[in-house]
Amino acid sequence: VKHHIALEGFGVGSAKHTHELQHEIEVHDCSLQLVESTLERVVEPVVVRIYYGPHILVNTEQQLEDGRVRPRNQLLVEKKHPEESWESAAIRGIKEELHIDLNVH
């Protein structure tokens, strides 16, 4: 491989498979950028805080395509696409992760 990427770590433990990285690139969830001869994955995350009184919604785990479950313990986070606003990314994240359609225009 030209940029010496260690492929043996993909799909092991809580790491995603290479085909999942390829999908992220295809749908513009991330991009690859060459930085000082090192290939880096670039993501622009949008963090969404959802409150219910004094409580805040936390994503405790994520089920990967192959059925593995990895702990998350984080707020709702959506990857912003290059052409969209942070507001649109947040609404898309709520729809995708919580299955709630906000119908915001």
Side-chain angles (χ1 to χ4, degrees), residues 5-104:
I5 298 170
L7 297 177
E8 60 272 0
F10 284 90
V12 177
S14 64
K16 293 182 179 183
H17 288 278
T18 54
H19 71 273
E20 293 171 303
L21 173 60
Q22 179 181 348
H23 177 74
E24 282 189 352
I25 293 167
E26 290 171 353
V27 300
H28 305 286
D29 277 350
C30 75
S31 62
L32 297 179
Q33 195 171 58
L34 192 58
V35 178
E36 297 181 12
S37 74
T38 301
L39 198 58
E40 294 184 0
R41 176 177 170 257
V42 179
V43 177
E44 188 173 351
V46 173
V47 179
V48 180
R49 289 184 183 96
I50 299 176
Y51 293 94
Y52 179 73
H55 305 284
I56 189 165
L57 182 69
V58 174
N59 181 2
T60 57
E61 63 185 24
Q62 177 186 25
Q63 184 167 1
L64 302 175
E65 286 181 2
D66 62 6
R68 291 177 296 144
V69 175
R70 66 179 181 175
R72 301 299 283 170
N73 295 316
Q74 65 183 33
L75 301 171
L76 191 154
V77 178
E78 189 60 41
K79 298 175 191 100
K80 182 183 163 300
H81 295 171
E83 74 285 351
E84 74 181 335
S85 67
W86 67 266
E87 295 95 338
S88 295
I91 291 167
R92 181 171 50 81
I94 291 168
K95 184 174 183 177
E96 289 176 5
E97 300 298 327
L98 302 176
H99 308 286
I100 297 171
D101 191 353
L102 297 177
N103 290 320
V104 177

